Amino acid sequence: MARRHVFMACTTLSNPSTKETSNFVRLCCLLIDVGSCVLREIFDSKCPPGNLHAVLAQPQNKEKLRSLRKKRVLSRSQWFTLYPACQSLVSSRDLEISSLLLLLRNIFGLTFPTGSSNKLPPATDTSPEADITRIKVLRDRVYSHTASGSVDDSTFSSYWNDIKDIFLRIGGTRYWYHINDIKLDYKQLLSKWLKDEDCIAEESNEETIIKKAREEGDMEDSIDVSEQNSWKRGVCNFS
């Protein structure tokens, strides 16, 4: 889960940091801070911001989301973000990444390429679904280093370039500056994340929901809750 990995990465800053530890923390920042913005851009390509309120207001969509709320796949806070008092004001910029993923799969019919969960899609497939899959696979590979909290230079370079290329293909050069900032100076961003006190409580709630959803067989018609909570809301000031 991304927030747990970021929290663990943050704690390393209280101790003398090796180059390998810095590599791991930089990759976490890249995946979560920029990755959230990339996903939001994919979402907006599927649903232009001005159309979101109308899509959510359609009876069949509202009923589907109401069903997910009853199953506790969609939380109370997410529901009220999707359906505020003034519906026309709802925007993808107000949605957490978990909500964006849930809408992409359940409302907009996004399906991920079949195959091994740790295998990258073919290079010829540059669809949004394939790019999200690539980000997930690379994220999992990075997080496999959590136990040691370190990534050697050659592995770091490989991961970083692969992830950067995906982000730049989707968002263009405007992402380059933020990516470069993370590579050069990431401690300020991590310090801000460290102030977020709800990560442990959120993780506990996530495990409860996953267990309940699997017991009730509700995981097939909605995005896995573990995937919902594996993205942290990012800073998307690239204008």
Side-chain angles (χ1 to χ4, degrees), residues 36-53:
S36 62
C37 302
V38 168
L39 184 60
R40 187 167 288 111
E41 184 158 331
I42 292 174
F43 182 88
D44 287 343
S45 72
K46 294 281 187 178
C47 178
N51 296 344
L52 180 57
H53 72 282

Side-chain angles (χ1 to χ4, degrees), residues 112-175:
F112 299 113
T114 58
S116 173
S117 60
N118 62 357
K119 184 178 180 180
L120 292 170
T124 54
D125 186 354
T126 58
S127 66
E129 293 87 346
D131 279 334
I132 292 175
T133 300
R134 289 187 182 93
I135 295 169
K136 288 182 178 180
V137 170
L138 290 168
R139 176 203 63 189
D140 290 344
R141 291 180 183 178
V142 170
Y143 292 165
S144 69
H145 296 267
T146 298
S148 63
S150 65
V151 176
D152 62 58
D153 285 347
S154 62
T155 304
F156 168 80
S157 180
S158 176
Y159 286 159
W160 184 275
N161 289 330
D162 287 345
I163 296 167
K164 178 191 68 175
D165 289 346
I166 296 169
F167 292 169
L168 292 179
R169 181 173 67 249
I170 296 171
T173 56
R174 62 196 181 95
Y175 280 118

Side-chain angles (χ1 to χ4, degrees), residues 39 43-44 46-47 52-53 55-57 61-62 64-66 68 73-74 78-79 81-83 87 90-92 94-111 132 221-223 228:
L39 184 60
F43 182 88
D44 287 343
K46 294 281 187 178
C47 178
L52 180 57
H53 72 282
V55 171
L56 294 175
N61 291 336
K62 191 168 185 178
K64 182 177 291 187
L65 293 172
R66 184 180 286 111
L68 294 178
V73 175
L74 184 69
Q78 287 175 315
W79 173 266
T81 301
L82 293 172
Y83 295 100
Q87 182 66 22
V90 66
S91 167
S92 64
D94 300 323
L95 304 181
E96 293 188 14
I97 298 308
S98 60
S99 297
L100 296 173
L101 283 169
L102 185 144
L103 291 176
L104 281 169
R105 183 165 183 176
N106 289 277
I107 303 301
F108 298 99
L110 182 147
T111 57
I132 292 175
D221 65 345
S222 61
I223 189 163
Q228 287 190 44

